[in-house]
Amino acid sequence: AKRQMRGRTVIFSSELEAEIRSRGVIENLLRTSDFATEMDLVFQPIVDAMSERTNGFEVLSRWNSPRLGLVSPADFIPAAERIGLIRPLTQALLVRALAAAKGWPDDIRVSFNLSAHDVCASDGILPLIAIINASGVAPRRIDFEITETAVTFDFVRAQQAIATLKAMGCGISLDDFGTGYSSLSHVHRLPLDKIKIDRSFVADVNENPVSHKIIKSLTGLCADMEIACVVEGVETRAQLDSLRRLGCDFIQGYYFAKPMPGHAIADYLTVEAKR
Ligand code: C2E
Ligand code: CA
Ligand code: CA
Ligand code: CA
């Protein structure tokens, strides 16, 4: 496999790649990594389906390991969870995400992913609250994305953490909706502002009548419950058009933009405003 790393192209045999990226190696390198220099944030617009204007940006993390090159969050976030580093990592990322959001226009939201360990910890979410309070970003501009898996992990604690964030004025989004189990039971027991429908349903919305029906029933459910519906993974105009007809409120995906570095946001919003 060829892999782009900061302009260099490195060739790995797939076996070697599997080997050096094995769980144990990722865990060991993560343990000794310097979050401040090795972790990056990128930002992907969440766009109002009707106006096609950016409503906010989701924060996605990137690990640029000196040894491994770019490692996907799908690999290093679970590793950080396994080795007990996710909470300090989340805190370091939230500080930087909110510092970035502070420089954006006041009507642009910031959406931040939390893991199960962040919301179910015994000492609760006090460190996160302290970071929000110190950030200078109004809590009403912040959404926290929480997966069903995180909520299922320890429902009572998750519910408490969510209620606390909500009471501060933050928004709560249920992420990856439709991929977990007992999804619907969580919807009415949590104070949700948004539901994010997983991109697996979006990919074939125009080819597969089942995906179409699932999204239709989910948008209907969201409308009934006065929860905004976000769809991620939208890559084509045809998908966007169908999702608008199906009543999705917000759209995220490569069709509008891939995740971008923080320094690109001001220009992105300027270009969008002229469109
Ligand atoms: P997610 O929260 O579901 O984030 C959306 C993922 O879909 C991102 O992958 C994004 O780059 C990708 N994506 C967005 N639009 C499109 C599209 O149109 N087509 C396709 N094919 N993909 C699209 P990414 O950045 O690799 O992140 C993977 C997962 O890692 C995230 O899934 C999230 O669960 C987790 N993650 C990322 N950053 C963080 C973080 O800072 N903290 C925590 N706890 N989890 C994170
Ligand atoms: Ca997310
Ligand atoms: Ca998601
Ligand atoms: Ca997902």
Side-chain angles (χ1 to χ4, degrees):
K2 269 191 173 179
R3 195 168 287 272
Q4 281 299 129
M5 299 194 331
R6 290 264 158 108
R8 285 184 298 148
T9 300
V10 182
I11 315 280
F12 292 123
S13 81
S14 54
E15 271 163 281
L16 179 60
E17 182 168 32
E19 163 76 43
I20 64 172
R21 284 168 181 267
S22 73
R23 288 183 161 215
V25 174
I26 289 181
E27 289 170 10
N28 284 334
L29 289 171
L30 194 57
R31 245 185 225 109
T32 54
S33 68
D34 176 10
F35 294 164
T37 55
E38 295 175 32
M39 294 292 167
D40 265 338
L41 299 181
V42 289
F43 304 87
Q44 188 179 33
I46 300 174
V47 179
D48 184 296
M50 283 308 156
S51 68
E52 294 189 24
R53 300 287 153 171
T54 296
N55 178 268
F57 289 89
E58 178 175 3
V59 182
L60 296 159
S61 56
R62 299 287 178 260
W63 179 24
N64 203 339
S65 159
R67 288 277 298 283
L68 301 176
L70 268 186
V71 183
S72 162
D75 293 325
F76 73 78
I77 295 287
E81 291 173 340
R82 289 194 300 273
I83 63 177
L85 269 186
I86 188 67
R87 301 189 66 216
L89 177 58
T90 298
Q91 290 164 27
L93 296 174
L94 183 61
V95 169
R96 287 164 62 184
L98 295 181
K102 194 161 190 273
W104 304 343
D106 218 34
D107 58 341
I108 300 288
R109 307 181 64 80
V110 56
S111 202
F112 188 85
N113 291 287
L114 293 179
S115 100
H117 301 259
D118 297 314
V119 290
C120 301
S122 59
D123 58 341
I125 47 157
L126 292 175
L128 302 183
I129 293 172
I131 291 167
I132 296 167
N133 286 335
S135 72
V137 177
R140 58 163 179 79
R141 286 180 59 204
I142 307 170
D143 286 318
F144 285 102
E145 301 195 4
I146 301 172
T147 64
E148 297 180 63
T149 319
V151 170
T152 321
F153 196 70
D154 182 339
F155 188 80
V156 174
R157 281 220 179 112
Q159 202 173 23
Q160 281 168 356
I162 288 168
T164 306
L165 292 169
K166 180 85 183 175
M168 287 180 80
C170 302
I172 307 295
S173 303
L174 191 61
D175 203 358
D176 294 350
F177 189 71
T179 58
Y181 57 94
S182 69
S183 316
L184 292 178
S185 73
H186 298 133
V187 169
H188 72 101
R189 290 162 74 197
L190 295 170
L192 301 176
D193 301 280
K194 295 189 176 89
I195 284 179
K196 298 189 77 171
I197 299 179
D198 192 71
R199 72 167 183 268
S200 53
F201 299 106
V202 176
D204 59 357
V205 64
N206 287 323
E207 292 82 35
N208 184 347
V210 176
S211 293
H212 195 273
K213 279 178 194 156
I214 289 174
I215 292 185
K216 189 174 181 181
S217 59
L218 291 177
T219 55
L221 174 78
C222 288
D224 283 349
M225 303 202 63
E226 297 182 356
I227 296 171
C229 172
V230 186
V231 181
E232 51 185 19
V234 178
E235 295 185 354
T236 67
R237 183 80 220 176
Q239 289 168 346
L240 171 63
D241 289 339
S242 300
L243 294 165
R244 280 163 71 149
R245 272 197 301 277
L246 288 169
C248 297
D249 303 295
F250 297 102
I251 306 286
Q252 185 177 354
Y254 298 169
Y255 175 72
F256 285 107
K258 291 195 169 173
M260 64 185 84
H263 64 76
I265 287 180
D267 277 355
Y268 179 83
L269 292 174
T270 305
V271 169
E272 180 185 81
K274 289 183 187 148
R275 208 170 53 213

